[in-house]
Amino acid sequence: MLISLLAGFGLTVGLSASPAAATEGIWINEGGPARSPEAMSGAWFRGDLYEVLRGEDNRIWWRFANGAWLIMPNDGRTAHRPEMVTVSDRDNGTPYLVVFVAGLDGEVYYSILRGADGNLWTPWTRMPGTAGASGAPTVTSSSGYTMVNVRSNDRLTVQAGEMHAGVFRWEGGWSPYANPRVRGSASIAQGARQVGRWNPVMLPYIAVGNNRRVWIARFPADSVATARAATFTELPGGGECESVAIGRGGPEEPAADPNSAEGRAQQNTGIACVSPNDHEVYLNRSTDGGQSWSGWSRATGSSSVTYSEPEVYGAPGGEVFASISYQGAEGNGVSQHMVFVKRIL
């Protein structure tokens, strides 16, 4: 498991104006023999960590519980990072593991896991409408309500739907956010982990604006109309990014009490940013659900050079991890497109 693998590498980093001290580990080769031009996406499902990535052959590879990498069936191809997410059935709460990708034609497709041991997935299904995706999809799902976001040229667009009896029912068609105009990646933290000290459940959504700054908005987890009208503001603290990712820790399902151990774990939020200047990863952290932030700091330890988007995802205990495809200097056992992960909170 990822947690046990990282347990021996923790170290404490002091950050000024931080809401809490961050526990930051070192970069480790989490992908093993895998090589990918993109970061790896991960999700906890039925007690195990599942991971998915784009191979150098543009095919979609996955594994669970640190097992062998397998090619997802049905010949899916993508030029961007796949997104993995757990979705709860709206009728009975049954969890499903779903992979979303932007196909080579710019449309968004998804496949649902039917059996991990047999590498059984549903055929790739295209979402309705014309996405025109120019980047990886970012997906959030809370209590069966799922929002899929993509960047189309310099606009963010969204489509929503619900899962009933293991089948998605989409509201149909893609529609743009009111703002901002964007130049880089966008990322939304998993909805099932979005338990803030507020009601209703709110989602933090970040994007790289045309000024290279990080813009953030918050909106209810169950309203695509409110999401489209969300007001984005610059994340305090400055900092320029060419790509970003955001993720949270805590259990997959929302905690009933935000002051419980599970609720506090779901407040842990991390942002990873790739700098346009040195292409290193910079981090920003929050332990109160994004109401206050630690400020930007370069990831500690060895080089984290990458020219592709990072990924951030959490674990049930509240830990938060960043993933990258390494694209810096080779040597000492490190080579191009190795997939590295580190604990950032």
Side-chain angles (χ1 to χ4, degrees):
M1 297 253 181
L2 180 59
I3 301 302
S4 61
L5 187 61
L6 291 177
F9 298 103
L11 56 103
T12 301
V13 181
L15 297 173
S16 61
S18 172
T23 301
E24 186 174 346
I26 64 171
W27 292 106
I28 63 168
N29 175 20
E30 168 64 9
R35 299 291 180 269
S36 174
E38 310 286 343
M40 177 173 59
S41 177
W44 287 84
F45 179 69
R46 299 190 183 278
D48 281 318
L49 177 65
Y50 286 69
E51 298 164 313
V52 65
L53 53 75
R54 167 196 166 202
E56 293 185 311
D57 54 5
N58 283 345
R59 292 191 289 183
I60 301 154
W61 295 72
W62 76 286
R63 71 175 182 177
F64 72 103
N66 281 340
W69 287 99
L70 303 171
I71 299 175
M72 286 187 65
N74 305 309
D75 200 34
R77 308 277 175 142
T78 184
H80 304 287
R81 177 184 55 78
E83 177 88 327
M84 179 177 278
V85 63
T86 57
V87 176
S88 296
D89 194 280
R90 194 76 164 180
D91 297 329
N92 54 31
T94 300
Y96 292 88
L97 189 72
V98 188
V99 171
F100 290 83
V101 298
L104 297 179
D105 59 359
E107 302 307 321
V108 177
Y109 298 81
Y110 62 90
S111 179
I112 304 172
L113 179 67
R114 295 304 191 200
D117 290 330
N119 193 19
L120 302 176
W121 296 79
T122 63
W124 292 102
T125 302
R126 176 180 163 176
M127 291 182 62
T130 301
S134 50
T138 179
V139 186
T140 181
S141 185
S142 181
S143 301
Y145 191 82
T146 301
M147 284 192 286
V148 182
N149 301 263
V150 295
R151 177 170 59 90
S152 179
N153 296 319
D154 66 346
R155 298 297 298 272
L156 302 175
T157 64
V158 61
Q159 184 172 168
E162 299 178 353
M163 179 175 279
H164 295 272
V167 177
F168 278 111
R169 298 178 187 172
W170 300 105
E171 295 178 358
W174 298 90
S175 53
Y177 284 76
N179 65 73
R181 300 285 180 165
V182 295
R183 64 176 297 140
S185 62
S187 178
I188 191 168
Q190 290 289 353
R193 302 187 181 114
Q194 300 323 293
V195 181
R197 302 182 191 277
W198 43 64
N199 189 31
V201 176
M202 302 290 281
L203 301 172
Y205 188 20
I206 61 174
V208 178
N210 279 337
N211 60 356
R212 293 190 182 273
R213 299 295 177 90
V214 177
W215 292 71
I216 187 167
R218 297 180 181 87
F219 46 80
D222 59 355
S223 174
V224 70
T226 306
R228 289 196 304 265
T231 299
F232 283 77
T233 58
E234 277 195 30
L235 189 72
E240 293 187 347
C241 302
E242 62 184 11
S243 59
V244 291
I246 188 171
R248 289 199 182 205
E252 292 294 334
E253 291 302 316
D257 178 6
N259 294 309
S260 65
E262 293 81 6
R264 290 193 298 272
Q266 290 171 333
Q267 304 299 317
N268 288 345
T269 309
I271 297 175
C273 153
V274 176
S275 167
N277 301 312
D278 58 10
H279 302 286
E280 294 278 356
V281 173
Y282 289 76
L283 304 171
N284 212 335
R285 307 169 178 90
S286 172
T287 56
D288 57 12
Q291 297 181 84
S292 59
W293 294 91
S294 64
W296 295 105
S297 62
R298 183 185 176 279
T300 59
S302 57
S303 172
S304 57
V305 169
T306 185
Y307 291 83
S308 58
E309 298 176 5
E311 172 68 327
V312 178
Y313 53 90
E319 303 90 344
V320 181
F321 301 90
S323 168
I324 63 167
S325 166
Y326 179 76
Q327 293 158 14
E330 299 188 20
N332 296 322
V334 177
S335 60
Q336 291 287 307
H337 292 177
M338 290 179 71
V339 178
F340 281 87
V341 168
K342 78 147 60 191
R343 177 176 174 172
I344 64 173
L345 189 60

